[in-house]
Amino acid sequence: MEKIFLILFGLIWGSFLNVVIHRLPRGESLVRPGSRCPKCKRNIRPWENIPILSFLFLRGRCPGCHNPISIRYPLVEAAAGCAFWYSGTAYGLSLHAAMTAVFLLLLLALALIDLEHMILPDELTLGGGVLFLLYSFVNPFLDPLPAFLSAIGGALTLTALFFFYLKVRKIEGLGFGDVKMMVLLGAFLGPEKLIVTVLVSSVLGLLVGLFLIIFRGKNLQMALPFGTFLSAGAVVSLLCSEPILFFLSRHLYM
């Protein structure tokens, strides 16, 4: 029963997260007006806004203009439900479980916003970073000093890479949104998991870049949403950093 409650609670937050993902990068209020169709602006009635179920009942179409509703909406709600389920299962009904769920929701929002708009809002990156730096004073898995050092060190590392690209290749290989996102990641993950995050996200970015160059005719000047890869890398690190670090240490030692 507890796990069902966690999933349902996550679905509700997933519905709000859809609002954040759609409105925040557009500079719109998260509160007013109420939920509405982004195409015809018709107000969505309460029974049309039930996570996942409404999408199924409406057959994926707005009842007003009959335009398709993006599949992203139920997928985000389902992902948020999974985030709460995982957090509660891993850490019980605790403050750390709640903070882990918040961390995962922030990653999901940042990944999708960067994928669509190529921006990482300060409200999520720096706001999340401040939240988790404050939380480090009571975090049972990460002390304040490594949290602060990881946040600052990660941001400085990407800042150095930003100026390296600018100096050597005359292009902005990274954005300062990625730099600010490192504050968020370092403050919650700590140094070891942050290293895994950067490694995994870099490999993912490289693979996607190669795919686009080989099969889609892109070139090295193309822009990639590195925040999306950082989010994916952070999830991988959160779930299985220990075996990855063990594998790396064993093979580097050899």
Side-chain angles (χ1 to χ4, degrees), residues 42-64:
R42 173 185 178 274
N43 290 331
I44 298 175
R45 299 179 176 88
W47 57 87
E48 297 170 349
N49 206 22
I50 302 172
I52 297 180
L53 292 179
S54 291
F55 181 86
L56 298 175
F57 291 151
L58 296 174
R59 297 182 180 179
R61 292 188 176 276
C62 170

Side-chain angles (χ1 to χ4, degrees), residues 14-224:
S15 182
F16 174 71
L17 197 65
N18 275 317
V19 176
V20 174
I21 293 168
H22 179 77
R23 296 188 182 186
L24 186 60
R26 293 174 170 83
E28 300 176 0
S29 169
L30 302 182
V31 180
R32 295 181 180 179
S35 297
R36 58 183 180 174
C37 173
K39 296 176 182 176
C40 69
K41 309 303 179 183
R42 173 185 178 274
N43 290 331
I44 298 175
R45 299 179 176 88
W47 57 87
E48 297 170 349
N49 206 22
I50 302 172
I52 297 180
L53 292 179
S54 291
F55 181 86
L56 298 175
F57 291 151
L58 296 174
R59 297 182 180 179
R61 292 188 176 276
C62 170
C65 63
H66 303 293
N67 278 307
I69 301 171
S70 174
I71 190 65
R72 187 194 76 194
Y73 290 94
L75 290 180
V76 167
E77 292 162 352
C82 291
F84 273 78
W85 171 83
Y86 164 77
S87 302
T89 301
Y91 304 109
L93 294 180
S94 64
L95 177 59
H96 192 70
M99 297 302 284
T100 301
V102 170
F103 179 69
L104 290 171
L105 294 189
L106 286 172
L107 293 181
L108 179 59
L110 288 167
L112 293 177
I113 290 174
D114 199 28
L115 186 62
E116 182 177 358
H117 300 278
M118 298 293 288
I119 60 172
L120 295 165
D122 291 349
E123 293 89 341
L124 302 184
T125 54
L126 295 181
V130 171
L131 172 65
F132 293 126
L133 286 174
L134 293 174
Y135 174 61
S136 69
F137 289 95
V138 294
N139 187 338
F141 299 97
L142 183 65
D143 292 331
L145 181 58
F148 275 81
L149 291 177
S150 299
I152 296 171
L156 289 177
T157 300
L158 283 203
T159 301
L161 286 175
F162 172 85
F163 286 109
F164 172 79
Y165 268 93
L166 199 60
K167 181 73 173 178
V168 175
R169 301 189 56 195
K170 310 300 182 184
I171 61 171
E172 293 185 3
L174 295 167
F176 269 101
D178 302 314
V179 173
K180 297 170 187 176
M181 188 171 175
M182 291 295 282
V183 176
L184 161 69
L185 299 177
F188 187 77
L189 294 175
E192 292 184 345
K193 290 182 179 178
L194 184 61
I195 291 173
V196 174
T197 297
V198 173
L199 288 175
V200 172
S201 58
S202 298
V203 171
L204 288 175
L206 177 62
L207 292 176
V208 171
L210 288 174
F211 174 84
L212 293 175
I213 291 172
I214 296 171
F215 296 103
R216 298 301 167 88
K218 302 293 184 179
N219 56 46
L220 293 175
Q221 303 298 319
M222 66 180 170
L224 289 175

